[in-house]
Amino acid sequence: QVQLQQSGAELVKPGSSVKISCKASGYTFTSYDMHWIKQQPGNGLEWIGWIYPGNGNTKYNQKFNGKATLTADKSSSTAYMQLSSLTSEDSAVYFCARKGLRSYYFDYWGQGVMVTVSS
Amino acid sequence: DIVLTQSPALAVSLGQRATISCRASQSVSISRYNLMHWYQQKPGQQPKLLIYRASNLASGIPARFSGSGSGTDFTLTINPVQADDIATYYCQQSRESYTFGAGTKLELK
């Protein structure tokens, strides 16, 4: 069965960077876009961007240009998101989510990673 | 960006019908495709796909969930509401990029 297993919670200092992971299993990793979505405490969901692991193509929400960098490792079926120059506004839960083939919705989600930015 | 507007909360009684609405700032339909989708999220969990393309039930989702609508106005219906349905419900459009509504929290009356 399809599973997206994300890395553990992170406590990081302002101004630093963090890299979180999303390990996929149960499907052909290189055939599906992987998206990343942000959820701040008590808030809704905000789309960050996607990566197509098959060729590394990416697309970002303009708001996250320069903040988020998406990569993927085909050998380990793992997608990564690096967040840089962290501020308190980056404290949130970050989800990876698979977009279905030839579809426009997210059919499987990771369990989420809580990132807390605090000195 | 296409803005999706949802009511913040809805109170219902168990066994009754719940109707959750989502209005888009512009049409999210292309030809016969209505690019609106619905998710359920419980506290501490990831969102779960319920309905895709406005009216299609996702795999494993009970038939008491249904969706309808086109253009700018969409509805998620739960009938009858069960205790396990208490959660927050989000609409999401994929007509232009990807945006989500702010969510409707379904509460017990």
Side-chain angles (χ1 to χ4, degrees):
Chain A
Q1 72 282 24
V2 174
Q3 289 191 334
L4 301 177
Q5 183 65 40
Q6 296 189 244
S7 48
E10 300 272 3
L11 173 61
V12 293
K13 295 194 182 312
S16 68
S17 297
V18 68
K19 191 172 186 176
I20 60 180
S21 66
C22 172
K23 183 171 176 56
S25 60
Y27 72 98
T28 303
F29 177 65
T30 52
S31 297
Y32 291 76
D33 295 347
M34 187 71 79
H35 291 241
W36 291 84
I37 292 117
K38 176 181 181 181
Q39 185 170 41
Q40 288 181 293
N43 284 5
L45 301 157
E46 191 172 21
W47 177 73
I48 296 170
W50 59 257
I51 184 167
Y52 181 65
N55 58 16
N57 281 356
T58 56
K59 185 176 177 68
Y60 297 91
N61 180 339
Q62 203 166 2
K63 177 179 175 181
F64 292 92
N65 269 328
K67 170 63 66 178
T69 303
L70 305 182
T71 57
D73 177 4
K74 289 190 277 191
S75 68
S76 63
S77 298
T78 303
Y80 298 93
M81 178 173 68
Q82 178 162 318
L83 299 168
S84 60
S85 302
L86 292 165
T87 72
S88 59
E89 282 302 302
D90 298 314
S91 292
V93 176
Y94 292 89
F95 295 99
C96 59
R98 190 187 82 163
K99 186 177 76 67
L101 263 182
R102 291 182 294 279
S103 75
Y104 303 91
Y105 48 87
F106 308 118
D107 55 1
Y108 290 93
W109 295 62
Q111 81 277 20
V113 175
M114 170 82 79
V115 174
T116 304
V117 182
S118 175
S119 54
Chain B
D1 285 4
I2 297 179
V3 176
L4 303 180
T5 301
Q6 297 182 247
S7 298
L10 177 66
V12 294
S13 302
L14 293 179
Q16 299 303 303
R17 177 195 302 260
T19 302
I20 296 170
S21 64
C22 177
R23 174 164 287 177
S25 59
Q26 63 190 80
S27 175
V28 299
S29 301
I30 300 177
S31 183
R32 68 179 189 277
Y33 293 110
N34 298 302
L35 299 179
M36 182 68 79
H37 324 289
W38 291 92
Y39 301 84
Q40 176 195 66
Q41 186 180 33
K42 297 180 180 178
Q45 295 185 17
Q46 67 270 50
K48 178 168 69 174
L49 178 68
L50 297 176
I51 301 285
Y52 63 93
R53 289 202 306 271
S55 60
N56 298 278
L57 202 61
S59 177
I61 302 303
R64 64 179 183 275
F65 291 90
S66 63
S68 64
S70 65
T72 60
D73 291 297
F74 296 85
T75 301
L76 171 70
T77 301
I78 312 169
N79 187 30
V81 170
Q82 297 187 2
D84 189 51
D85 302 334
I86 300 307
T88 300
Y89 293 85
Y90 294 94
C91 53
Q92 175 243 321
Q93 67 80 26
S94 49
R95 172 65 177 82
E96 283 181 8
S97 187
Y98 304 88
T99 55
F100 294 84
T104 297
K105 189 173 183 180
L106 189 65
E107 302 168 330
L108 281 179
K109 193 180 288 184

